[in-house]
Amino acid sequence: MPSSPMITIKSIAHTASNILGAKSARCVESAPRSTLKLVDYDISPVTGFAPSASPCTRLPSPFDAWERALDLVNCGTDSVVSLGEDASSEALAKRTSTERWQESIRAMPVLDTEILRSYSQLQHRAHHVLAYLVHFYVHSLTPNTTSAPVVPASLAIPLFAVSDDLGMAPILTYADTVLWNIAPRDPSKPLAPGNLRILTTFSGTDDEIAFYQCCADIELHGTRALAVMAAYENLDLRDLGRLRADILQTVCTGLDALTENIEDLITILRDVNGACSPIAFYNLIRPWFRGPSSGEVPWMWEGVGPVREEWKSLSGPSGGQSTLMHSLDVFLDIDHTMEKHDLRSPVVTREDADRTFMRRMQGYMPAIHRGFLHKLVSSNFSLRSMAISASQANSPLAHELVTKYNDAVCAMRRFRDVHLKIAGIYVVAQARKAAVEAGKRVVIPSACPVSAMLRRMAEEGDADLLAVCPVSGLGLGDVVSKPSACPIKGTGGTQLLGLLRGNRDSTTRTIIPTRR
């Protein structure tokens, strides 16, 4: 296929300036200042990693071709395309319009993205639009296990260019589906939980909207945790062996606020079960998320030169790409690589745990947000170092600090318990149920791994979301089933349950032993 012509768009500078106002700061890996200021990392004290100002919801007119293409598919049941693997009568009725839309994408010119480099909000919108178009395009193709899907140059070239400027993966990411996918429902009021509308969906269902809103609510509520991190990093800490009582008290107060905030996030995560149907998520939403690493063959990118090694096996959007979650881990010194030797070690390392997953997921974040993680990592006195020092002291206030640190770590473990349970219900159970319905496993004679997982969670006090095995429909105490031979992957491209259990284990391992 011949390359599309390159269109120069220098003329939109004035338009972009009118839309966004002052020139935005360019992405950097870390801020040069010694004092940590959230704004230096494009973090708002009100909205966290989500945009503080009203987001750009439409690119300037030279990019109308992208926006019009998205309009045709971002309209729920009125979308002109259907999932390529969907064999329902409704999907088959859209095959002709799907092919016409795909042809229009291939015929689209390659737009020059140079002018976008000066405006971060335009870059965010461009990445969002292009990444969604790529996933709509690839996943509306008829599945083929022998030839690679080819992303047309009209999408591939500008997506790689914008991604390079933002310092993030050229694929649909958590930032696209959550952070840059929300706007105030009432523009006269600030962006906040309860005042959100979702800009782009694959299915147009209320379930998909609720799923994104749950993630956005977590991000917006997490601003309190970010404030605690900034306050700690800006404390005058020079000698952990001689901590003043007022410093200890300040840190204890901050840890109380952090634990309370994590508990709020747990509540929000639990609530997704009542708002988003597991069946709708698994069948109507999740298939569109899959990245190249989830398929039989890798994707090809027309017009793109040699692809960097880390982008040759891209995964789809994942909660593991949330900078907020990574910030909590880094601040508490939760090490998912299991490489640190000063951590508690009785937890058995799982062979199916992906120790590098969380580190890889940082490449799917904007570089400026990743810079915030680097700042936390480079802290002269990490919070855990302070807690360890306090555990060796004799003062009651020092021992209180250790307890409160452990409380925050335990809250993170509870968050991961709930996440593991949600994954079991929304992905693992649905995958095995689909296999049974497809006749791949008709007989169910012994120890169902889904119900076993749920039973363990019930023993830990987390049985409120589901009381029966979704595969057999029997009660947790009665279910018998044959385990699946194929591990189930998450949208991040790794073995799902092994990953989540491993992350929970590494969180538990962070707890500091206390004197009895």
Side-chain angles (χ1 to χ4, degrees), residues 159-295:
L159 177 58
F160 269 73
V162 171
S163 299
D164 189 58
D165 288 336
L166 289 171
M168 62 188 295
I171 201 74
L172 190 71
T173 68
Y174 179 88
D176 298 300
T177 58
V178 179
L179 302 179
W180 305 334
N181 198 20
I182 53 176
R185 183 180 297 277
D186 181 350
S188 67
K189 297 178 181 178
L191 189 68
N195 188 37
L196 298 177
R197 67 182 179 93
I198 302 301
L199 302 176
T200 307
T201 67
F202 288 109
S203 66
T205 60
D206 290 341
D207 301 272
E208 186 173 359
I209 291 171
F211 177 75
Y212 295 148
Q213 285 182 332
C214 171
C215 297
D217 284 349
I218 286 175
E219 294 291 330
L220 295 175
H221 276 88
T223 55
R224 290 176 57 203
L226 297 174
V228 170
M229 296 174 200
Y232 176 84
E233 292 298 322
N234 292 327
L235 286 175
D236 184 14
L237 301 176
R238 300 178 184 178
D239 184 357
L240 290 181
R242 299 183 178 182
L243 289 174
R244 304 193 310 268
D246 62 322
I247 293 288
L248 291 173
Q249 186 59 61
T250 296
V251 176
C252 285
T253 301
L255 283 168
D256 279 337
L258 184 67
T259 301
E260 182 180 346
N261 193 209
I262 297 171
E263 294 292 350
D264 290 340
L265 305 187
I266 293 171
T267 300
I268 297 169
L269 182 60
R270 286 180 186 275
D271 288 346
V272 73
N273 187 65
C276 177
S277 160
I279 295 174
F281 175 80
Y282 187 79
N283 295 302
L284 302 179
I285 305 167
R286 190 172 182 268
W288 295 101
F289 285 173
R290 293 192 298 251
S293 63
S294 301

Side-chain angles (χ1 to χ4, degrees), residues 437-459:
E437 292 174 348
K440 296 179 181 178
R441 198 166 52 255
V442 180
V443 180
I444 312 183
S446 90
C448 168
V450 180
S451 63
M453 177 189 70
L454 294 170
R455 191 179 297 111
R456 283 195 300 274
M457 292 178 177
E459 292 170 356

